[in-house]
Amino acid sequence: MSGFLGEYEATMDNKGRFLLPAGFKKQLAEDAQGQFVLNRGFEKCLTLYPMNEWQPIFERIGKLNDFDPKVREFRRYFLNGATILELDSAGRLLVPKNLMTYASLEKDIVLAAATNKIEIWDKVKYDEFFENFSPSAFSDLAQQVMGGGDTSFTL
């Protein structure tokens, strides 16, 4: 299997460091080599890409038409703030202040698998997200996203 599964709670210290959960470390591809790119997420969270997952995305963005204003706008929103991180000797990652502010991260955080990347959320915001999402709303969303033409797939 390629990618990540699971969600883990962690604590950030006053410098903005947190320990990458062992559950995610075990799922890292060998070619990731402890290097990551941390970026703003589409929601008010952060997205942590192992370097081996980031590289193809970065290369694809580099091939987009720079004469298209929507490409330039997307590139700014997506790439500005992206930061290369490496695990320190204790297995921690350091979140830059500007990204901590963007995602309103303080102390308690949740790291959640998102296929080939990991989302980093403020714990309170993460809990609110699920508290405000009913089972019927989830069922409707699943139908919209997964209920298309492939009838051989079931959950």
Side-chain angles (χ1 to χ4, degrees), residues 3-151:
F4 296 102
L5 290 174
E7 67 181 19
Y8 301 88
E9 293 184 10
T11 304
M12 290 180 51
D13 66 16
N14 58 358
K15 293 180 182 178
R17 298 175 300 193
F18 68 91
L19 192 62
L20 186 66
F24 282 144
K25 277 187 193 176
K26 291 176 188 175
Q27 297 176 57
L28 281 172
E30 287 184 29
D31 57 349
Q33 300 174 349
Q35 284 194 319
F36 301 88
V37 171
L38 185 64
N39 199 7
R40 293 178 181 96
F42 290 110
E43 289 80 24
K44 286 290 189 170
C45 66
L46 300 179
T47 307
L48 184 68
Y49 294 86
M51 188 59 76
N52 63 310
E53 296 290 345
W54 173 261
Q55 199 60 42
I57 295 167
F58 189 72
E59 289 171 8
R60 183 172 176 198
I61 291 170
K63 293 177 183 173
L64 296 174
N65 180 0
D66 203 34
F67 293 103
D68 183 336
K70 288 187 180 202
V71 167
R72 293 191 308 270
E73 183 178 19
F74 167 75
R75 197 178 281 151
R76 278 183 211 112
Y77 276 111
F78 190 74
L79 295 178
N80 292 0
T83 305
I84 295 173
L85 302 179
E86 289 191 34
L87 289 172
D88 68 11
S89 60
R92 298 174 299 190
L93 293 168
L94 173 64
V95 179
K97 295 286 185 200
N98 64 322
L99 295 178
M100 285 175 59
T101 301
Y102 170 81
S104 302
L105 302 180
E106 292 184 22
K107 184 176 181 183
D108 296 322
I109 61 175
V110 175
L111 288 84
T115 61
N116 66 334
K117 56 194 170 288
I118 299 167
E119 293 182 339
I120 302 173
W121 290 80
D122 172 75
K123 181 171 175 16
V124 172
K125 288 185 182 210
Y126 189 77
D127 290 344
E128 286 173 358
F129 176 81
F130 284 100
E131 288 169 7
N132 295 325
F133 204 68
S134 72
S136 64
F138 178 57
S139 179
D140 292 344
L141 180 61
Q143 173 61 33
Q144 291 171 16
V145 174
M146 299 296 290
D150 184 4
T151 57

